[in-house]
Amino acid sequence: MAQADLDTVKRYLLDLQDRLCEGLAVVDGGTAGFREESWEREEGGGGRSRVVENGAVFEKGGVNFSHVFGAQLPVSATAARPQLAGRSFHATGVSWVLHPKNPHVPTSHGNVRFFIAEKPGEAPVWWFGGGFDLTPYYPVHEDVVHWHRVARDACAPFGAEVYPRYKAWCDDYFMLKHRDETRGVGGLFFDDLNEWGFERSFAFTRAVGDVFLDAYLPIVRRRRDMPWSERERSFQLYRRGRYVEFNLVWDRGTLFGLQSGGRTESILMSMPPLARWEYGWEPEPGSAEEALYRDYLRPRDWLGEN
């Protein structure tokens, strides 16, 4: 049963990767396109990485599929589930990240994933996880409301409590605790999802993956042709530094990939091509940069306010 379920999930994930790349390539409109590399993992499994660089919109982006398996779950996967230590595992998922060049187009990240942990003589333990989040540098209120409205509508068929729960989880997960600020304006984040049973849990995971383009592409189209200055570009690179800090310090997915012996180039695909740090920088009072810190880098009830 576990193997049949795994095959069903893999077919969906490979199709999702295709659809994401197709939609993103159209909105990019450039000639760079996604280049594909397949890789194999010595301990078991492999993946299909697709990366775009120096496109008309996306300075760097990637949409990666992986399926890895092994005799023992990595420490990062059993830290919250010590009862699973020593089990063999399969982990499969699609993850994506987009770093536009125009500072007015937000960075965005998402993933959907499925785990099975197995032990002879016992039923397999499985769970889904995933979500998506938005990281604007010069946010527009209507974009953020649109983003969260799409997220809420994707959750609605599964219960009125689902969006508030996974929205709050996203706000908490993408908090840079050492900075006391969120990475962006959030979205959805869920993990350990199995209490609904396989079919419903899988349906919800598909709902999240399937609406990402609906949430993100309208924002890209509205902002991709906005003029920008070197000041705005410099601030974008400064804020990209926060993205790097989160991925290297707090992100469990990065840690799992490295501990499980995944392909380093694919795991670190999420890093921006350029970033910078500046000691003790503070935004000018009354500036657009100050507005980001004051109004956006904290949890807010974006839909309740409207």
Side-chain angles (χ1 to χ4, degrees), residues 91-124:
T92 186
V94 170
S95 62
W96 57 93
V97 64
L98 292 312
H99 290 289
K101 185 169 184 178
N102 189 323
H104 295 283
V105 183
T107 286
S108 190
H109 153 268
N111 70 84
V112 286
R113 55 192 183 275
F114 179 59
F115 288 82
I116 299 178
E118 299 175 299
K119 185 176 182 179
E122 297 185 18

Side-chain angles (χ1 to χ4, degrees), residues 164-177:
R165 176 186 176 189
Y166 292 153
K167 187 267 186 193
W169 199 344
C170 187
D171 289 336
D172 181 67
Y173 182 78
F174 290 105
M175 175 67 69
L176 283 84
K177 299 176 180 64

